[in-house]
Amino acid sequence: MATKGDWVRIHSIVLTAAERTAKIPEDTQRCDLQQWTKGFLQDESAAVGDTVTVKTAANRRVRGTLIEEGPYYTHSYGTFVPEIIEIDKQPRALMWEGK
């Protein structure tokens, strides 16, 4: 249960497929235009699935369905690759050669 001021992520449909312009590719026309937004919960409390309002870091107010409490980044650049260290050394050696 999230409470007012908690950092959350919401989801909303900006335009349904029927509302989208004909000037975009056909496969894109068939899809809703969706938006995921992070911000501070403005409602007193809410559970995942509730319709809520958030205040973004840019002070915009956005309404949508609460999908996550305390969102964080989960991506990475993968595991360590030893060859990258060697690649890094080569231009440094060329730049500082003779100094």
Side-chain angles (χ1 to χ4, degrees):
M1 179 71 69
T3 57
K4 188 171 185 166
D6 285 352
W7 186 248
V8 297
R9 183 186 334 250
I10 63 170
H11 172 260
S12 58
I13 303 295
V14 178
L15 293 171
T16 64
E19 297 171 319
R20 300 199 64 177
T21 181
K23 296 179 181 180
I24 56 178
E26 199 173 305
D27 59 337
T28 304
Q29 289 177 27
R30 292 190 296 265
C31 301
D32 292 340
L33 177 59
Q34 302 179 58
Q35 171 178 281
W36 289 265
T37 308
K38 290 184 272 186
F40 299 100
L41 184 64
Q42 297 300 292
D43 302 72
E44 289 303 318
S45 64
V48 171
D50 291 349
T51 300
V52 299
T53 300
V54 298
K55 183 177 179 182
T56 69
N59 288 322
R60 293 183 308 119
R61 292 189 183 265
V62 182
R63 193 151 177 79
T65 303
L66 180 63
I67 58 170
E68 185 179 4
E69 299 175 39
Y72 58 93
Y73 294 107
T74 58
H75 68 278
S76 76
Y77 295 103
T79 58
F80 174 69
V81 179
E83 291 82 3
I84 299 293
I85 299 298
E86 294 306 314
I87 292 169
D88 180 57
K89 288 179 184 178
Q90 291 171 0
R92 290 177 189 275
L94 290 172
M95 288 186 330
W96 302 110
E97 192 175 297
K99 291 191 180 191

